[in-house]
Amino acid sequence: LGQGGTAEQVLAELTDADEGRDERQLGIVDRHGNAASFTGTQCLDWCGGRTGSGYSMQGNVLAGPHVLDEMEAAWVAFDSLPFTHRLLGALAAADGVGGDRRGRQSAALLVVRAGAGYAGRDDVAVDLRVDDHARPIDELTRLLALNDLYLTPSTQEEQMPVTAELAAELEALAQQLGHRTLWEWVGTENYEMRAARDGSWIDRQVLDAIRRAARPDPD
């Protein structure tokens, strides 16, 4: 792929050279959005794949072909969502119509993109695993929300301008929580991507968080 090969070419090279190909599944999307899918003849029923512009999806030991049909339909319908949420939405849709016919246990989400990691220091946008849970998709959804909060920057809609009055309140709340400054509290709570270092804005969720921490509900 790095040398310009197409998805179909790379899939053919990999499977032709693999003596265990009858038990494999493989999906590839190349840089031009061309997709290829492979399901070996010895994969466990129901098994198969779906491809389209920019996507390749596979499954085995599924409740039936309708699982991938639903996953594909959701992927297409959720094209306005951020990429990670689009992936999770497609996974949840498949799970909702039967998913793995053995039941539910685990789920994972891995997304890499140049400079997507914390403060742009690596390429890992999302790397989440749920290894053993009664409702793994629900748990993965919860973890993705935390990932978004701690590891992605605030959008303009989430940024609240800090007035002089709000700045005074925030500093007082931080001191009430035992910190010298608001920024010290921000660093302690790992909210650096959700507040301006110069104090000009703060994420609405972070504002709610410091208020809840300093003024807990008596109930």
Side-chain angles (χ1 to χ4, degrees):
L1 287 172
Q3 295 170 359
T6 68
E8 288 285 358
Q9 288 172 336
V10 174
L11 186 145
E13 288 186 23
L14 290 172
T15 54
D16 288 349
D18 182 9
E19 294 182 357
R21 58 185 171 273
D22 289 344
E23 297 177 348
R24 312 285 194 223
Q25 281 193 303
L26 172 65
I28 300 176
V29 177
D30 64 31
R31 68 180 68 184
H32 302 295
N34 302 310
S37 178
F38 174 83
T39 296
T41 58
Q42 298 301 310
C43 290
L44 300 177
D45 283 335
W46 188 88
C47 56
R50 300 284 186 272
T51 60
S53 179
Y55 67 86
S56 178
M57 51 188 65
Q58 295 73 44
N60 64 85
V61 201
L62 299 180
H66 64 282
V67 175
L68 281 186
D69 292 340
E70 192 69 20
M71 175 179 278
E72 184 175 35
W75 174 258
V76 172
F78 295 154
D79 62 340
S80 63
L81 292 180
F83 186 74
T84 52
H85 291 264
R86 191 180 183 190
L87 281 176
L88 183 57
L91 185 61
D95 182 65
V97 293
D100 189 315
R101 63 182 170 83
R102 296 166 296 181
R104 297 176 174 88
Q105 183 175 17
S106 63
L109 188 62
L110 172 64
V111 176
V112 296
R113 186 176 62 252
Y118 186 81
R121 294 191 179 103
D122 61 40
D123 298 336
V124 181
V126 176
D127 185 4
L128 300 172
R129 290 170 52 119
V130 178
D131 289 328
D132 188 16
H133 197 281
R135 296 184 302 279
I137 303 299
D138 291 347
E139 178 65 3
L140 194 61
T141 301
R142 185 185 73 85
L143 294 176
L144 181 58
L146 292 176
N147 185 92
D148 288 348
L149 177 62
Y150 289 111
L151 300 178
T152 65
S154 302
T155 65
Q156 287 190 343
E157 292 76 15
E158 293 171 320
Q159 296 175 5
M160 172 177 282
V162 175
T163 63
E165 181 180 1
L166 180 56
E169 177 193 356
L170 289 170
E171 293 297 337
L173 292 174
Q175 292 172 20
Q176 183 179 331
L177 292 170
H179 299 279
R180 291 167 296 180
T181 65
L182 171 66
W183 190 251
E184 182 178 273
W185 175 84
V186 166
T188 300
E189 298 299 317
N190 296 321
Y191 288 138
E192 290 93 341
M193 298 182 75
R194 295 270 167 175
R197 183 68 178 87
D198 63 5
S200 59
W201 61 265
I202 189 168
D203 188 286
R204 297 176 189 278
Q205 297 178 83
V206 174
L207 175 58
D208 290 342
I210 192 171
R211 284 173 171 169
R212 285 196 306 271
R215 304 166 182 165
D217 189 330
D219 295 330

